[in-house]
Amino acid sequence: MESNADPLKKKQVVDARARNISHNVRCTECGSQSIEDSQADIAILLRKLIRDEIQSGKSDKEIYKKLEDDFGETVLYAPKFDMQTAALWLSPLLVAGAAAGVWAYNKHRKRTNVHIMALNLVRGVPLTLKEKETMLEILTPPPPERASPSSLWRRWHGQ
């Protein structure tokens, strides 16, 4: 019984590893599909190559290295981090940093403008229409909170 289950289990492990690797390898003919999803001839050959390499006892890293050596770095979906791909990997951080800098600058400029407007009022310099709207927006208190059921209950009991 175990002898029948062992080859079946081994085949399932090989298939699972092959599918996992195939999802991370780009079809050289299609470009936008993984070789697992592609039906191009080269994709079928690469899937067979991966299964053969797994059955010969190679690790996933060795298989990825072989594919990269044979077809170039673009065959893998996840490029490695080096000086050539540093901009690709760091661009989200650069964009987020730039956005945070613009936000901080605008916030600082708005605060500074309010102080300048206040100084101008003290000096007797008339405000422009936009400055008046800004000052009214800043100085107008928020609307009162709506009465919650618990506060209404306390009022009704005279507390």
Side-chain angles (χ1 to χ4, degrees):
M1 178 93 169
E2 278 186 34
S3 62
N4 290 341
D6 193 32
L8 180 63
K9 193 171 192 172
K10 197 172 192 179
K11 184 180 182 320
Q12 288 174 340
V13 169
V14 168
D15 287 344
R17 277 185 63 199
R19 276 193 303 276
N20 185 36
I21 293 172
S22 296
H23 280 294
N24 296 315
V25 177
R26 181 174 306 176
C27 177
T28 56
E29 194 172 306
C30 308
S32 63
Q33 286 183 316
S34 69
I35 62 170
E36 183 67 24
D37 300 330
S38 176
Q39 292 303 316
D41 292 338
I42 187 73
I44 294 168
L45 291 172
L46 284 174
R47 287 195 301 259
K48 182 173 178 357
L49 172 82
I50 290 171
R51 287 184 199 290
D52 292 343
E53 295 289 324
I54 291 172
Q55 288 172 348
S56 70
K58 291 198 176 171
S59 69
D60 292 0
K61 241 182 194 175
E62 292 171 329
I63 295 170
Y64 285 130
K65 180 70 176 150
K66 178 176 175 43
L67 290 169
E68 186 179 346
D69 291 343
D70 292 347
F71 297 99
E73 190 177 317
T74 58
V75 77
L76 302 179
Y77 273 119
K80 61 185 176 193
F81 186 82
D82 59 7
M83 289 306 290
Q84 293 178 338
T85 60
L88 174 70
W89 285 102
L90 297 177
S91 60
L93 295 175
L94 295 174
V95 169
V102 167
W103 175 80
Y105 173 75
N106 285 337
K107 187 171 178 145
H108 171 72
R109 195 180 81 200
K110 185 176 181 182
R111 183 179 297 136
T112 306
N113 286 344
V114 170
H115 294 298
I116 290 171
M117 286 188 286
L119 282 173
N120 285 343
L121 277 176
V122 170
R123 293 180 187 146
V125 178
L127 297 175
T128 65
L129 183 60
K130 176 124 175 86
E131 289 174 336
K132 286 179 185 177
E133 289 173 0
T134 303
M135 288 299 271
L136 282 174
E137 180 184 320
I138 292 171
L139 297 174
T140 304
E145 286 186 24
R146 287 186 36 208
S148 65
S150 61
S151 65
L152 291 174
W153 182 257
R154 276 188 246 128
R155 283 188 205 159
W156 188 60
H157 280 303
Q159 293 178 345

